[in-house]
Amino acid sequence: MRQAFEAWAQRDGHIVRRREDKPEEYLVYETQRRWLIWQAALTHGSKALEAQQAQQVQKFAPAEDKAPVMLADEAAVRNRVLNEVLDAFSALDESAGVEGIVRVIQSLKKKSQSQNQSRQVAEQA
């Protein structure tokens, strides 16, 4: 990187001689200032390039690779339903077998239907 800068600076007419006590710095202030600008530009350019490449990857990535975005109210509803189902099945007697599972599912369906009906009545009012 420094060689490219020095080649450019010499073509532009700058003195690229370095200090003897600090070889990482240039003797002429203007050359040192341009070197710092050169480094900052390359650093900023690489970050911008990385960000642009990441944007392009996201833009052209297949839809199935993207995680679906869930709204807060959807998440709350899903958590509530999951908790209701877990509570219903935790109260189930282990000896009930398949019949117990069917009863739990039917009771959850009835509960869901009654909640939907009460919402519809509330919306009409």
Side-chain angles (χ1 to χ4, degrees), residues 56-124:
Q56 288 177 349
V57 166
Q58 289 177 351
K59 183 178 179 182
F60 296 111
E64 65 267 3
D65 289 348
K66 294 181 182 177
V69 176
M70 185 183 304
L71 299 175
D73 56 341
E74 287 180 358
V77 169
R78 288 185 182 193
N79 284 338
R80 182 180 52 79
V81 169
L82 178 62
N83 289 333
E84 288 176 5
V85 170
L86 290 174
D87 289 342
F89 277 104
S90 65
L92 182 63
D93 186 17
E94 291 180 17
S95 63
V98 176
E99 295 171 3
I101 294 172
V102 171
R103 276 188 264 135
V104 168
I105 292 171
Q106 288 174 347
S107 68
L108 288 171
K109 282 184 181 179
K110 287 179 185 176
K111 187 175 182 180
S112 175
Q113 288 173 352
S114 66
Q115 286 177 350
N116 286 341
Q117 288 175 353
S118 65
R119 283 188 194 133
Q120 288 175 353
V121 169
E123 288 175 1
Q124 290 176 355

Side-chain angles (χ1 to χ4, degrees), residues 22-63:
K22 295 180 182 177
E24 67 275 357
E25 292 183 14
Y26 291 98
L27 187 61
V28 178
Y29 172 78
E30 185 61 25
T31 307
Q32 180 65 27
R33 187 177 77 82
R34 289 179 186 253
W35 167 241
L36 295 174
I37 293 169
W38 179 284
Q39 289 176 314
L42 287 178
T43 303
H44 175 71
S46 68
K47 288 179 185 176
L49 180 63
E50 289 173 5
Q52 184 181 14
Q53 288 174 346
Q55 247 182 357
Q56 288 177 349
V57 166
Q58 289 177 351
K59 183 178 179 182
F60 296 111

